[in-house]
Amino acid sequence: MIRTTLGAVAMAAVTTQIALAQEPVTIEFAYPYASSFDVTFDAIVPKFKEQYPNIEVKFRSAYEQYEDGTNTILRESISGNLPDVTMQGLNRQQILVEKGIARSLTPFINKEANFETDGYHAAMLKLSTFDGEVYGLPFAVSLPVGYYNMDALAQAGVTETPKTWDEMIGVCKKLIASGSNNPVYWNWAITGNWFLQSLMWTQGKPTVENDRLTLDSPEALIALKTIKSIVDGCEMKNLTPDQAVASFSAGDLPMFFSSTSSVGRVERAKSDFNFSTAAFPGLVGTPKGLPAGGNAAMLTSTSEDPEVLAAAWTWLTFITSGEGAAEVAKTTGYMPPNQAANDIILADFYGQNPNKRTAVDQLPLLSDWQAYPGANGLAITQVIYDSLEMIATGEADDMEELQEEMVEQVNDLLPAN
């Protein structure tokens, strides 16, 4: 992707335009997951205002999650009410590019003398680049991890975190025997079918190949059967993700598998127990890959005012650059995809915060969080979500039958060609 180091980037042309403005320039900005990112922007805004006092950033109501963010932008594009900068899930950028809503960042990048093209992970570059043009700068990157109440595990006679899902189910049985009535929550409901894609990438299998979904593959059936074994073997209750975070933080849920993004939230809210994160289990060992979660900042301004566009670009690059990106790691559990943030500003941070380092150690596994092809990508997401919910609620018992039904519904939504 594109890397910029805060303080090293000159931004001469951009800052000159803003400095010449007689009045403050106001831009509008929208982002998802207030529970995760409110504290991040509370830390970023004062630093931004100190450097750019003539730019006013007006925050819109936060998107509930990534699907809501994309649907909101699609509606606002019709009503002519787009924000200047929006944060979108990494797997939701393509539709905004195809519909001409997102503006290419390449013309802005080409005007900056100190931008480099080697600072972001290759998966980030691929997910935000379309037809050779950059449309998004990654803001926060996540990977799935395990959250553990080590005191509860020790009470059940467990001394090591599980490395495979079979081992995890064995830990569940020990927790149940020691009195737990809900030993684990496996976050099947997380945005974008991310956990299903995690089980696919664990096997080295992408969920989308050649613009077709691979849900009819043996790997997809293994993924469905694995989810079923977790739900049944652990007697898993069907919580919402927010309920799971709250229950884990309260000490009532011994194990929780979700995005690393919630680490900061848990650390701020948890009761008095020994909390540890550990690598995401595999089927027979270390996963072959894991999908890159998170979001990117995109320029969706409809303004042609050079001062507004310069201000929007300044905000966009600030929040994704060194010091701005470092606040992501400090306040959440996301990883900043900016190399300056990771190598310079956060040089000592991860050594002092091992629970946030777990995802960083898994970076070699980083793979695409795949978008579903065609105009019905959000509808396909919902079909898969509904199928996974049937497993979580116990409505579906036969995974071969569920797979067939899911494939049939998804195929009806795919582009004909």
Side-chain angles (χ1 to χ4, degrees):
M1 237 347 137
I2 308 303
R3 173 163 65 96
T4 172
T5 341
L6 189 62
V9 175
M11 290 191 182
V14 172
T15 54
T16 299
Q17 283 180 301
I18 295 170
L20 291 175
Q22 298 299 311
E23 299 293 335
V25 179
T26 299
I27 61 171
E28 297 196 2
F29 173 62
Y31 65 94
Y33 296 115
S35 61
S36 291
F37 289 118
D38 278 357
V39 65
T40 305
F41 288 109
D42 284 346
I44 287 177
V45 168
K47 296 180 180 181
F48 181 78
K49 287 295 293 181
E50 183 178 354
Q51 294 195 37
Y52 303 101
N54 285 343
I55 302 178
E56 295 288 341
V57 182
K58 181 180 178 182
F59 284 73
R60 293 190 176 184
S61 297
Y63 310 130
E64 183 178 348
Q65 27 78 354
Y66 293 138
E67 283 78 14
D68 174 48
T70 304
N71 276 321
T72 299
I73 287 292
L74 292 173
R75 289 194 303 269
E76 290 171 342
S77 70
I78 296 172
S79 64
N81 186 36
L82 286 166
D84 296 293
V85 179
T86 179
M87 307 293 292
Q88 294 288 316
L90 293 174
N91 67 328
R92 298 301 177 195
Q93 298 174 90
Q94 183 174 342
I95 189 171
L96 303 190
V97 174
E98 291 175 346
K99 290 185 174 292
I101 297 170
R103 300 176 71 140
S104 172
L105 301 180
T106 299
F108 297 88
I109 292 166
N110 289 341
K111 293 179 182 179
E112 302 294 347
N114 295 314
F115 267 89
E116 300 176 18
T117 57
D118 62 349
Y120 288 88
H121 194 281
M124 304 297 100
L125 175 61
K126 182 177 180 180
L127 286 170
S128 291
T129 303
F130 302 87
D131 295 328
E133 298 274 317
V134 177
Y135 284 88
L137 293 185
F139 173 67
V141 182
S142 63
L143 284 168
V145 298
Y147 292 65
Y148 298 95
N149 181 330
M150 299 305 294
D151 294 342
L153 265 61
Q155 186 177 347
V158 178
T159 57
E160 294 185 0
T161 57
K163 304 297 189 296
T164 68
W165 296 114
D166 282 344
E167 288 181 11
M168 191 276 290
I169 294 169
V171 173
C172 280
K173 295 185 184 302
K174 291 183 178 180
L175 287 165
I176 291 170
S178 70
S180 175
N181 63 358
N182 189 29
V184 72
Y185 180 73
W186 191 87
N187 198 355
W188 68 270
I190 200 166
T191 183
N193 311 139
W194 195 50
F195 260 35
L196 178 67
Q197 291 200 22
S198 295
L199 287 180
M200 295 290 283
W201 277 123
T202 290
Q203 303 171 75
K205 183 70 171 178
T207 309
V208 180
E209 289 180 326
N210 301 318
D211 288 333
R212 309 299 293 178
L213 270 72
T214 60
L215 297 176
D216 58 351
S217 65
E219 290 87 351
L221 183 58
I222 289 172
L224 295 177
K225 288 183 175 180
T226 300
I227 300 169
K228 177 69 172 171
S229 68
I230 292 169
V231 171
D232 291 349
C234 293
E235 301 177 15
M236 190 182 91
K237 290 183 172 60
N238 187 27
L239 307 176
T240 67
D242 280 345
Q243 287 173 335
V245 170
S247 182
F248 181 84
S249 299
D252 298 328
L253 181 68
M255 296 188 294
F256 175 42
F257 294 91
S258 189
S259 163
T260 187
S261 60
S262 295
V263 172
R265 185 178 167 192
V266 168
E267 288 180 337
R268 289 189 293 273
K270 79 177 186 70
S271 59
D272 186 19
F273 64 85
N274 183 16
F275 163 47
S276 179
T277 63
F280 199 65
L283 291 173
V284 292
T286 302
K288 294 180 180 179
L290 291 171
N295 52 59
M298 305 184 79
L299 182 65
T300 51
S301 179
T302 56
S303 176
E304 295 303 330
D305 184 334
E307 291 178 357
V308 172
L309 292 176
W313 172 245
T314 301
W315 171 250
L316 191 155
T317 52
F318 187 93
I319 63 177
T320 59
S321 66
E323 193 170 350
E327 292 298 339
V328 174
K330 293 176 182 177
T331 55
T332 68
Y334 283 101
M335 299 168 286
N338 183 283
Q339 199 65 42
N342 277 314
D343 290 352
I344 302 172
I345 299 173
L346 299 174
D348 299 323
F349 175 79
Y350 287 117
Q352 299 166 2
N353 295 270
N355 282 336
K356 292 179 178 178
R357 185 176 180 84
T358 299
V360 177
D361 292 338
Q362 293 183 137
L363 276 173
L365 303 177
L366 202 67
S367 305
D368 293 354
W369 185 14
Q370 295 182 296
Y372 303 137
N376 294 321
L378 288 171
I380 292 172
T381 301
Q382 187 62 47
V383 167
I384 297 172
Y385 178 98
D386 292 342
S387 297
L388 299 180
E389 186 173 36
M390 292 174 68
I391 303 175
T393 59
E395 184 178 348
D397 286 321
D398 188 326
M399 294 302 99
E400 287 88 350
E401 181 179 333
L402 180 66
Q403 181 185 33
E404 290 177 7
E405 293 173 354
M406 182 169 59
V407 167
E408 182 178 353
Q409 293 180 62
V410 166
N411 285 345
D412 287 343
L413 295 167
L414 289 172
N417 184 9

